[in-house]
Amino acid sequence: MYDYLVVGSGLYGAIFAHEAKEHGKSVLVVDKRPNIAGNIYTENIEGINVHKYGAHIFHTNSKKVWDYITQFAEFNRFTNSPVANYKGELYSLPFNMYTFNKMWGVVTPEEAAAKIEEQRKEIIGEPQNLEEQAISLVGRDIYEKLIKGYTEKQWGRDCKELPAFIIKRLPVRLTFDNNYFNALYQGIPVGGYTKMVENLLKGIEVRLNIDYLEKKQELEAMAEKVIYTGPIDAYFDYKLGTLEYRSVRFETELLDMPNFQGNAAVNYTDRETPWTRIIEHKWFEFGKDEYGNDLPKTIISREYSSEWKPGDEPYYPVNDEKNSKLYAEYKKLADADKKVIFGGRLGEYKYYDMDQVILMALDSAEANIK
């Protein structure tokens, strides 16, 4: 018998497992994948730590989170400064003075603010959809070139059909600051995220290639409590219906050249380019190996957004009204199950940044580890 069975070795599961072990509890972690670390899994290929399930850039304003996670990894000083490619025109993201200068030729913050203000007036009254919401925030030009195509690829729907609340705000900076997240603490773990999760799980029994849902009764009987980080609807065998997600498909290539695009992330914001962005993994660690040598090759991943179907990897919950109502019904079932704690992005059907996951896992551990 174990005190805790943790289903999933991603960030939430690994932190909960670590905290339980620190409290002297016996823990078993199971994961259906052949590797630990969930979606933050990185694999070292040709000296490059490849983000196998999409780019993960750690950022937080919480000193508590930063102090906690830096016990398990040294972080480099990577700053996320993506570039937007609109039909061969390159723009800075977030929207800043470089963006406005390229878009309109303006030079001063005052000119940029006036241009945005003039274009925002197009929307009168409460925005009725995502298109109107975006124009009301940043104007028609930025919307057409840098938001519309990218968003429609991301969600697989016309911006006029998407709810306004998806874009609550857009970062408009009247400065030349290219730091996308603008967080107090930011970086990438030196040596990759997998190494960081290994450190979290040190001394804990981990069994891989085990699908918990296929052996649910047998595994559940082995522990006093279960921490479940998989999809909540799958846990209940989809008996109330299936929650919707967006998924992402990656095409990854090893290229025999030192530099493909000169930046870690380039977003393709026109509708015609089928991928949403290209990640060049080496630039997360400044194009150098662990000894500081320049890497002669590079690895890129093209990302394609797609509608999720069973068997695909669920990435982004579709938090519209219909899905939110269905999740609320599943949550009632989850709350009634006193043996199982549901946590993380899939267990709570909500998109979370990594720092939010860490805080939630720590809060859950504090509340539940007796």
Side-chain angles (χ1 to χ4, degrees):
M1 280 294 284
Y2 297 87
D3 293 315
Y4 292 96
L5 169 69
V6 178
V7 181
S9 63
L11 197 51
Y12 187 102
I15 286 171
F16 195 102
H18 177 84
E19 290 302 300
K21 179 180 171 283
E22 288 294 288
H23 284 79
K25 305 297 183 183
S26 56
V27 187
L28 170 63
V29 177
V30 297
D31 201 303
K32 67 177 183 181
R33 287 182 181 164
N35 54 265
I36 59 166
N39 280 7
I40 60 173
Y41 173 64
T42 49
E43 183 182 358
N44 192 289
I45 302 169
E46 299 273 347
I48 299 165
N49 289 307
V50 176
H51 295 220
K52 296 290 277 191
Y53 297 95
H56 285 81
I57 299 145
F58 191 83
H59 57 98
T60 188
N61 284 311
S62 165
K63 188 170 191 312
K64 176 185 173 178
V65 167
W66 183 251
D67 287 347
Y68 181 82
I69 205 64
T70 51
Q71 297 173 88
F72 307 101
E74 180 190 345
F75 280 70
N76 69 20
R77 54 177 180 79
F78 178 82
T79 300
N80 189 27
S81 306
V83 170
N85 183 323
Y86 176 80
K87 300 182 178 181
E89 295 174 18
L90 300 180
Y91 293 90
S92 275
L93 291 174
F95 312 134
N96 64 14
M97 286 302 298
Y98 291 113
T99 319
F100 310 139
N101 175 262
K102 180 79 181 269
M103 188 79 68
W104 301 308
V106 296
V107 174
T108 68
E110 191 180 13
E111 291 171 315
K115 195 78 183 168
I116 292 167
E117 197 48 49
E118 173 198 324
Q119 294 199 356
R120 286 176 55 192
K121 288 179 185 159
E122 181 187 325
I123 305 300
I124 297 152
E126 193 64 31
Q128 297 303 302
N129 53 45
L130 189 144
E131 176 170 296
E132 291 184 6
Q133 174 76 339
I135 293 169
S136 76
L137 291 168
V138 291
R140 170 70 65 175
D141 291 347
I142 291 172
Y143 166 72
E144 291 287 349
K145 286 192 173 183
L146 302 181
I147 297 168
K148 186 179 191 303
Y150 187 87
T151 306
E152 290 181 350
K153 288 187 287 191
Q154 191 85 353
W155 291 100
R157 292 160 179 78
D158 190 290
C159 282
K160 290 191 184 75
E161 293 166 21
L162 289 165
F165 73 76
I166 288 179
I167 295 183
K168 289 188 171 68
R169 56 193 178 81
L170 286 165
V172 171
R173 294 197 193 142
L174 299 173
T175 65
F176 290 89
D177 180 9
N178 276 337
N179 181 347
Y180 188 81
F181 291 124
N182 223 4
L184 285 174
Y185 308 100
Q186 190 171 170
I188 304 275
V190 174
Y193 283 99
T194 305
K195 193 169 146 189
M196 181 183 91
V197 176
E198 267 170 22
N199 290 335
L200 275 160
L201 293 172
K202 206 167 268 176
I204 294 168
E205 186 182 346
V206 179
R207 298 184 196 171
L208 300 172
N209 296 305
I210 289 186
D211 190 334
Y212 166 76
L213 295 175
E214 283 178 7
K215 301 181 176 181
K216 193 164 155 191
Q217 279 180 306
E218 177 194 329
L219 287 164
E220 217 159 272
M222 292 166 64
E224 292 288 325
K225 278 265 189 192
V226 176
I227 314 304
Y228 176 79
T229 67
I232 189 170
D233 53 349
Y235 180 87
F236 292 106
D237 205 18
Y238 308 105
K239 66 181 180 186
L240 304 177
T242 306
L243 290 164
E244 291 176 285
Y245 295 88
R246 293 293 292 169
S247 194
V248 184
R249 179 171 63 80
F250 302 97
E251 279 179 7
T252 299
E253 282 180 75
L254 172 64
L255 303 175
D256 198 2
M257 58 165 71
N259 191 351
F260 175 76
Q261 63 186 18
N263 204 44
V266 176
N267 292 9
Y268 285 76
T269 59
D270 61 282
R271 192 72 184 83
E272 295 70 32
T273 303
W275 52 85
T276 51
R277 63 179 179 174
I278 297 179
I279 299 300
E280 189 167 5
H281 301 268
K282 72 190 293 182
W283 300 123
F284 290 128
E285 298 183 66
F286 313 112
K288 299 192 184 297
D289 67 14
E290 58 187 312
Y291 306 108
N293 304 313
D294 289 333
L295 291 156
K297 296 180 182 178
T298 195
I299 295 173
I300 62 164
S301 295
R302 290 183 178 84
E303 293 186 13
Y304 298 81
S305 187
S306 61
E307 207 67 52
W308 177 85
K309 58 188 185 305
D312 291 347
E313 204 56 56
Y315 279 88
Y316 304 104
V318 180
N319 293 125
D320 59 13
E321 197 178 339
K322 179 182 80 166
N323 284 289
S324 297
K325 274 184 184 163
L326 180 56
Y327 167 67
E329 293 306 306
Y330 274 120
K331 186 165 185 332
K332 284 179 196 166
L333 295 180
D335 290 344
D337 191 330
K338 298 303 173 204
K339 181 164 182 172
V340 183
I341 297 160
F342 293 79
R345 198 170 40 93
L346 301 178
E348 296 184 38
Y349 194 65
K350 191 168 181 194
Y351 183 79
Y352 288 116
D353 284 329
M354 285 182 282
D355 63 330
Q356 294 170 303
V357 171
I358 292 167
L359 267 181
M360 286 188 330
L362 289 173
D363 288 348
S364 179
E366 199 176 313
N368 292 291
I369 297 170
K370 301 286 186 274

